[in-house]
Amino acid sequence: MDSGQYSLNVRFCEICTGCLSNKSGKNSVPSLTRALDTIASDLAKDGDLRIRMGSENPSIWPSLQQLWNFLADYPSADADVAELRILVISVARFTRNIVAGVAANQQNAFAVEPALRRVLHLYSSWSAFQVMESFPATRMAVQALSNIVTTNEDLTSRLWNTYLTLPEEQVILIRLLGSPDHKTILSILILMVNCIHDSTERCSLLTKSRGGARICTTLLDRVVLLYDAEESTDGAKAFDYGYHLFAHLFDGGFAPDLYNSLSVEGEVIAQHQTTLLKLLDSYLQSSQICPIHCDMCPMLSEIFFSLSSYSQSAITRATNPTNSEPLDDSIEHLQELDLLLPKTCEALVLATQCIVKISLLSENQRTVDPSAVDLRAIFRDASSTDGQGTAEKLLRLLDTFLPRIYFGKAVIDPVTDRSIPSSVGGPNGFSYLKRDLVRLVGVLCHRDKTFQDRIRICRGIPVIMNMCVVDERNPYLREHAILTLRNLLDGNMENQYEVNSIQPSGYWDEAGVLHEKVGATLR
């Protein structure tokens, strides 16, 4: 046994005993923190020292356990007590460094987790968040906890199972995600990412359990707030880690479970589900491979039909509440305007963009490998239980409900000469909806005669033709509609005849005003 090493262990145990023997601990705190900081600095540089100090006698682990218990039971414990903060930082730093990369030390140190959790509970309270000086202690304690379990499968699983089954008020993951300190959030997200890495079981627990859903809800709220953080700041880094965590869940095929766990009874779409769709859309836009997306197709189809059917019903109630006569182009008297419709349409845009991206990826892959699964077929074959929800039907309703925006002004119906209510004219929630629905039809009908015929049979071709216009709310709507029309006509004589039989019912003047042709028949 190395005498110098023996002296270091003895020194640690003796100074801990001296601090703990004093009821208040005040007289010994300065000497204890100085000694801990010196040893921690040496441990950070020397991996062999960590191994020797953790394995030689006298054992440091009983003393470290007593030290953490002392911190957890500190007299008059409060985050505003400077002496306690200094001691927490020193003890946490020592713990963090002694366990780094040494499995045996991690196993021995895991016994301090309950006391460490109680300390973090104190420092994640509302009152602690009001004391900026407490943030370094909180961060150091989180880092110590992270090092205790990182790369140790057994300890990580034990920690994760414990934290996701605690009563809600005791779940420090939720409490710490509410910290105003971005560095603290970054530290806790690093711990969470490390915990779920390469573990189907822990990912499943996060996405399916009640506690996991609550954590994800809190994390989604925090990701939204971090989105506008300046680049290279701790807030931006925390956002990246939050996104990485959800991307890891998407990679593992847990998007459907997570989406379902975020649902709210009685609501067609919850705000956290919309946020998740935003992250999923971003994930898919940066993705270049298809196999991992197969599990998402049924989920996205179900979401599309659910949101589309709800939107159709809401628009029908608003434009034709009595169902006494066919829907026309008049929206002068809106009734039962659903306040959830903009949010529903916002989520519908996201779902549509996800479907389009997966479909395009699948088509590209099949160009290289014809034997690859055609994911577009999954979306083509999908159908809603009530027969509603198809894109072409929704487009027809939207063409009536939402005015086109041309050079900053809503286009007025030339027959009724009626103005558009401001509640409908606003862009919130409806931006890009027509464009993306048109694009979806174009992608799905490409070189597929069955789907091309389906659009014609349900009278969708005139709807697509009506979208070949400029609309500031839907950038490039005209271009996407023209491309969709091209795909509908490609190799389909029946569709070509249908288009040839349709004659213009009006014309545009130089001012962009639509005029009806005399004698024209509207279809």
Side-chain angles (χ1 to χ4, degrees), residues 204-225:
S204 179
L205 189 60
L206 179 62
T207 55
K208 296 180 180 179
S209 69
R210 183 176 179 180
R214 185 70 183 89
I215 291 172
C216 288
T217 297
T218 305
L219 180 54
L220 287 168
D221 286 335
R222 180 49 85 179
V223 166
V224 171
L225 295 176

PDB file of all heavy atoms in Angstrom, residues 204-225:
ATOM      1  N   SER A 204     -38.857   3.409 -23.468  1.00  0.00           N
ATOM      2  CA  SER A 204     -40.254   2.992 -23.348  1.00  0.00           C
ATOM      3  C   SER A 204     -40.883   3.523 -22.070  1.00  0.00           C
ATOM      4  O   SER A 204     -42.034   3.995 -22.070  1.00  0.00           O
ATOM      5  CB  SER A 204     -40.338   1.464 -23.378  1.00  0.00           C
ATOM      6  OG  SER A 204     -41.675   1.029 -23.247  1.00  0.00           O
ATOM      7  N   LEU A 205     -40.142   3.476 -20.986  1.00  0.00           N
ATOM      8  CA  LEU A 205     -40.648   3.985 -19.717  1.00  0.00           C
ATOM      9  C   LEU A 205     -40.905   5.488 -19.797  1.00  0.00           C
ATOM     10  O   LEU A 205     -41.901   5.997 -19.255  1.00  0.00           O
ATOM     11  CB  LEU A 205     -39.651   3.677 -18.599  1.00  0.00           C
ATOM     12  CG  LEU A 205     -40.103   3.951 -17.160  1.00  0.00           C
ATOM     13  CD1 LEU A 205     -41.337   3.140 -16.819  1.00  0.00           C
ATOM     14  CD2 LEU A 205     -38.973   3.653 -16.179  1.00  0.00           C
ATOM     15  N   LEU A 206     -40.032   6.201 -20.493  1.00  0.00           N
ATOM     16  CA  LEU A 206     -40.198   7.650 -20.626  1.00  0.00           C
ATOM     17  C   LEU A 206     -41.419   7.997 -21.459  1.00  0.00           C
ATOM     18  O   LEU A 206     -42.114   8.974 -21.165  1.00  0.00           O
ATOM     19  CB  LEU A 206     -38.939   8.251 -21.257  1.00  0.00           C
ATOM     20  CG  LEU A 206     -38.945   9.772 -21.493  1.00  0.00           C
ATOM     21  CD1 LEU A 206     -39.076  10.520 -20.169  1.00  0.00           C
ATOM     22  CD2 LEU A 206     -37.682  10.205 -22.219  1.00  0.00           C
ATOM     23  N   THR A 207     -41.699   7.235 -22.490  1.00  0.00           N
ATOM     24  CA  THR A 207     -42.779   7.586 -23.415  1.00  0.00           C
ATOM     25  C   THR A 207     -44.135   6.996 -23.040  1.00  0.00           C
ATOM     26  O   THR A 207     -45.170   7.500 -23.494  1.00  0.00           O
ATOM     27  CB  THR A 207     -42.430   7.122 -24.840  1.00  0.00           C
ATOM     28  OG1 THR A 207     -42.134   5.720 -24.832  1.00  0.00           O
ATOM     29  CG2 THR A 207     -41.218   7.875 -25.362  1.00  0.00           C
ATOM     30  N   LYS A 208     -44.141   5.948 -22.229  1.00  0.00           N
ATOM     31  CA  LYS A 208     -45.401   5.267 -21.942  1.00  0.00           C
ATOM     32  C   LYS A 208     -45.915   5.468 -20.526  1.00  0.00           C
ATOM     33  O   LYS A 208     -47.128   5.371 -20.285  1.00  0.00           O
ATOM     34  CB  LYS A 208     -45.252   3.764 -22.208  1.00  0.00           C
ATOM     35  CG  LYS A 208     -44.980   3.419 -23.662  1.00  0.00           C
ATOM     36  CD  LYS A 208     -44.847   1.915 -23.843  1.00  0.00           C
ATOM     37  CE  LYS A 208     -44.565   1.560 -25.303  1.00  0.00           C
ATOM     38  NZ  LYS A 208     -44.418   0.100 -25.505  1.00  0.00           N
ATOM     39  N   SER A 209     -45.014   5.710 -19.582  1.00  0.00           N
ATOM     40  CA  SER A 209     -45.457   5.835 -18.192  1.00  0.00           C
ATOM     41  C   SER A 209     -46.049   7.211 -17.923  1.00  0.00           C
ATOM     42  O   SER A 209     -45.768   8.181 -18.635  1.00  0.00           O
ATOM     43  CB  SER A 209     -44.283   5.592 -17.232  1.00  0.00           C
ATOM     44  OG  SER A 209     -43.337   6.652 -17.321  1.00  0.00           O
ATOM     45  N   ARG A 210     -46.840   7.285 -16.899  1.00  0.00           N
ATOM     46  CA  ARG A 210     -47.455   8.566 -16.527  1.00  0.00           C
ATOM     47  C   ARG A 210     -46.395   9.569 -16.107  1.00  0.00           C
ATOM     48  O   ARG A 210     -46.449  10.742 -16.489  1.00  0.00           O
ATOM     49  CB  ARG A 210     -48.450   8.336 -15.382  1.00  0.00           C
ATOM     50  CG  ARG A 210     -49.189   9.597 -14.962  1.00  0.00           C
ATOM     51  CD  ARG A 210     -50.219   9.281 -13.890  1.00  0.00           C
ATOM     52  NE  ARG A 210     -50.927  10.472 -13.461  1.00  0.00           N
ATOM     53  CZ  ARG A 210     -51.878  10.486 -12.537  1.00  0.00           C
ATOM     54  NH1 ARG A 210     -52.233   9.338 -11.940  1.00  0.00           N
ATOM     55  NH2 ARG A 210     -52.479  11.615 -12.198  1.00  0.00           N
ATOM     56  N   GLY A 211     -45.420   9.101 -15.322  1.00  0.00           N
ATOM     57  CA  GLY A 211     -44.341   9.997 -14.898  1.00  0.00           C
ATOM     58  C   GLY A 211     -43.503  10.463 -16.073  1.00  0.00           C
ATOM     59  O   GLY A 211     -43.091  11.627 -16.140  1.00  0.00           O
ATOM     60  N   GLY A 212     -43.256   9.555 -17.022  1.00  0.00           N
ATOM     61  CA  GLY A 212     -42.493   9.934 -18.194  1.00  0.00           C
ATOM     62  C   GLY A 212     -43.206  10.971 -19.035  1.00  0.00           C
ATOM     63  O   GLY A 212     -42.578  11.909 -19.554  1.00  0.00           O
ATOM     64  N   ALA A 213     -44.518  10.813 -19.188  1.00  0.00           N
ATOM     65  CA  ALA A 213     -45.294  11.795 -19.957  1.00  0.00           C
ATOM     66  C   ALA A 213     -45.232  13.169 -19.307  1.00  0.00           C
ATOM     67  O   ALA A 213     -45.148  14.191 -19.999  1.00  0.00           O
ATOM     68  CB  ALA A 213     -46.740  11.324 -20.076  1.00  0.00           C
ATOM     69  N   ARG A 214     -45.266  13.197 -17.989  1.00  0.00           N
ATOM     70  CA  ARG A 214     -45.192  14.479 -17.273  1.00  0.00           C
ATOM     71  C   ARG A 214     -43.823  15.133 -17.491  1.00  0.00           C
ATOM     72  O   ARG A 214     -43.729  16.350 -17.674  1.00  0.00           O
ATOM     73  CB  ARG A 214     -45.446  14.264 -15.783  1.00  0.00           C
ATOM     74  CG  ARG A 214     -45.507  15.534 -14.962  1.00  0.00           C
ATOM     75  CD  ARG A 214     -46.757  16.329 -15.279  1.00  0.00           C
ATOM     76  NE  ARG A 214     -46.771  17.577 -14.536  1.00  0.00           N
ATOM     77  CZ  ARG A 214     -46.239  18.714 -14.969  1.00  0.00           C
ATOM     78  NH1 ARG A 214     -45.621  18.753 -16.139  1.00  0.00           N
ATOM     79  NH2 ARG A 214     -46.305  19.797 -14.235  1.00  0.00           N
ATOM     80  N   ILE A 215     -42.773  14.327 -17.490  1.00  0.00           N
ATOM     81  CA  ILE A 215     -41.426  14.855 -17.742  1.00  0.00           C
ATOM     82  C   ILE A 215     -41.338  15.401 -19.164  1.00  0.00           C
ATOM     83  O   ILE A 215     -40.799  16.493 -19.393  1.00  0.00           O
ATOM     84  CB  ILE A 215     -40.371  13.762 -17.510  1.00  0.00           C
ATOM     85  CG1 ILE A 215     -40.292  13.414 -16.010  1.00  0.00           C
ATOM     86  CG2 ILE A 215     -38.999  14.207 -18.004  1.00  0.00           C
ATOM     87  CD1 ILE A 215     -39.430  12.214 -15.699  1.00  0.00           C
ATOM     88  N   CYS A 216     -41.862  14.652 -20.129  1.00  0.00           N
ATOM     89  CA  CYS A 216     -41.820  15.098 -21.531  1.00  0.00           C
ATOM     90  C   CYS A 216     -42.628  16.366 -21.735  1.00  0.00           C
ATOM     91  O   CYS A 216     -42.230  17.244 -22.516  1.00  0.00           O
ATOM     92  CB  CYS A 216     -42.336  13.987 -22.445  1.00  0.00           C
ATOM     93  SG  CYS A 216     -41.213  12.585 -22.606  1.00  0.00           S
ATOM     94  N   THR A 217     -43.744  16.472 -21.057  1.00  0.00           N
ATOM     95  CA  THR A 217     -44.552  17.693 -21.147  1.00  0.00           C
ATOM     96  C   THR A 217     -43.764  18.904 -20.662  1.00  0.00           C
ATOM     97  O   THR A 217     -43.747  19.957 -21.314  1.00  0.00           O
ATOM     98  CB  THR A 217     -45.841  17.539 -20.307  1.00  0.00           C
ATOM     99  OG1 THR A 217     -46.636  16.471 -20.840  1.00  0.00           O
ATOM    100  CG2 THR A 217     -46.660  18.823 -20.322  1.00  0.00           C
ATOM    101  N   THR A 218     -43.110  18.744 -19.531  1.00  0.00           N
ATOM    102  CA  THR A 218     -42.285  19.831 -18.984  1.00  0.00           C
ATOM    103  C   THR A 218     -41.133  20.160 -19.926  1.00  0.00           C
ATOM    104  O   THR A 218     -40.807  21.328 -20.152  1.00  0.00           O
ATOM    105  CB  THR A 218     -41.738  19.441 -17.598  1.00  0.00           C
ATOM    106  OG1 THR A 218     -42.816  19.069 -16.736  1.00  0.00           O
ATOM    107  CG2 THR A 218     -40.971  20.593 -16.978  1.00  0.00           C
ATOM    108  N   LEU A 219     -40.512  19.126 -20.483  1.00  0.00           N
ATOM    109  CA  LEU A 219     -39.379  19.328 -21.386  1.00  0.00           C
ATOM    110  C   LEU A 219     -39.812  20.041 -22.668  1.00  0.00           C
ATOM    111  O   LEU A 219     -39.102  20.919 -23.170  1.00  0.00           O
ATOM    112  CB  LEU A 219     -38.727  17.993 -21.719  1.00  0.00           C
ATOM    113  CG  LEU A 219     -37.521  18.034 -22.672  1.00  0.00           C
ATOM    114  CD1 LEU A 219     -36.461  19.011 -22.164  1.00  0.00           C
ATOM    115  CD2 LEU A 219     -36.928  16.647 -22.837  1.00  0.00           C
ATOM    116  N   LEU A 220     -40.977  19.693 -23.200  1.00  0.00           N
ATOM    117  CA  LEU A 220     -41.481  20.358 -24.399  1.00  0.00           C
ATOM    118  C   LEU A 220     -41.735  21.837 -24.132  1.00  0.00           C
ATOM    119  O   LEU A 220     -41.439  22.699 -24.978  1.00  0.00           O
ATOM    120  CB  LEU A 220     -42.764  19.681 -24.881  1.00  0.00           C
ATOM    121  CG  LEU A 220     -42.573  18.300 -25.533  1.00  0.00           C
ATOM    122  CD1 LEU A 220     -43.914  17.600 -25.704  1.00  0.00           C
ATOM    123  CD2 LEU A 220     -41.868  18.441 -26.878  1.00  0.00           C
ATOM    124  N   ASP A 221     -42.273  22.148 -22.956  1.00  0.00           N
ATOM    125  CA  ASP A 221     -42.461  23.553 -22.586  1.00  0.00           C
ATOM    126  C   ASP A 221     -41.127  24.281 -22.555  1.00  0.00           C
ATOM    127  O   ASP A 221     -41.002  25.424 -23.022  1.00  0.00           O
ATOM    128  CB  ASP A 221     -43.136  23.661 -21.213  1.00  0.00           C
ATOM    129  CG  ASP A 221     -44.610  23.300 -21.264  1.00  0.00           C
ATOM    130  OD1 ASP A 221     -45.213  23.428 -22.340  1.00  0.00           O
ATOM    131  OD2 ASP A 221     -45.152  22.876 -20.225  1.00  0.00           O
ATOM    132  N   ARG A 222     -40.129  23.629 -22.002  1.00  0.00           N
ATOM    133  CA  ARG A 222     -38.820  24.260 -21.886  1.00  0.00           C
ATOM    134  C   ARG A 222     -38.158  24.405 -23.253  1.00  0.00           C
ATOM    135  O   ARG A 222     -37.524  25.428 -23.539  1.00  0.00           O
ATOM    136  CB  ARG A 222     -37.937  23.418 -20.960  1.00  0.00           C
ATOM    137  CG  ARG A 222     -36.539  23.977 -20.747  1.00  0.00           C
ATOM    138  CD  ARG A 222     -36.570  25.438 -20.391  1.00  0.00           C
ATOM    139  NE  ARG A 222     -36.763  25.675 -18.987  1.00  0.00           N
ATOM    140  CZ  ARG A 222     -36.814  26.883 -18.441  1.00  0.00           C
ATOM    141  NH1 ARG A 222     -36.728  27.953 -19.209  1.00  0.00           N
ATOM    142  NH2 ARG A 222     -36.987  27.043 -17.161  1.00  0.00           N
ATOM    143  N   VAL A 223     -38.315  23.440 -24.137  1.00  0.00           N
ATOM    144  CA  VAL A 223     -37.754  23.527 -25.489  1.00  0.00           C
ATOM    145  C   VAL A 223     -38.336  24.723 -26.237  1.00  0.00           C
ATOM    146  O   VAL A 223     -37.619  25.427 -26.960  1.00  0.00           O
ATOM    147  CB  VAL A 223     -38.016  22.214 -26.260  1.00  0.00           C
ATOM    148  CG1 VAL A 223     -37.754  22.398 -27.752  1.00  0.00           C
ATOM    149  CG2 VAL A 223     -37.130  21.100 -25.716  1.00  0.00           C
ATOM    150  N   VAL A 224     -39.626  24.954 -26.072  1.00  0.00           N
ATOM    151  CA  VAL A 224     -40.263  26.108 -26.714  1.00  0.00           C
ATOM    152  C   VAL A 224     -39.619  27.407 -26.234  1.00  0.00           C
ATOM    153  O   VAL A 224     -39.336  28.311 -27.031  1.00  0.00           O
ATOM    154  CB  VAL A 224     -41.781  26.122 -26.428  1.00  0.00           C
ATOM    155  CG1 VAL A 224     -42.407  27.431 -26.902  1.00  0.00           C
ATOM    156  CG2 VAL A 224     -42.458  24.945 -27.114  1.00  0.00           C
ATOM    157  N   LEU A 225     -39.371  27.514 -24.945  1.00  0.00           N
ATOM    158  CA  LEU A 225     -38.782  28.735 -24.382  1.00  0.00           C
ATOM    159  C   LEU A 225     -37.325  28.902 -24.806  1.00  0.00           C
ATOM    160  O   LEU A 225     -36.836  30.027 -24.924  1.00  0.00           O
ATOM    161  CB  LEU A 225     -38.879  28.698 -22.855  1.00  0.00           C
ATOM    162  CG  LEU A 225     -40.298  28.734 -22.269  1.00  0.00           C
ATOM    163  CD1 LEU A 225     -40.250  28.604 -20.748  1.00  0.00           C
ATOM    164  CD2 LEU A 225     -41.027  30.017 -22.660  1.00  0.00           C
TER     165      LEU A 225
END
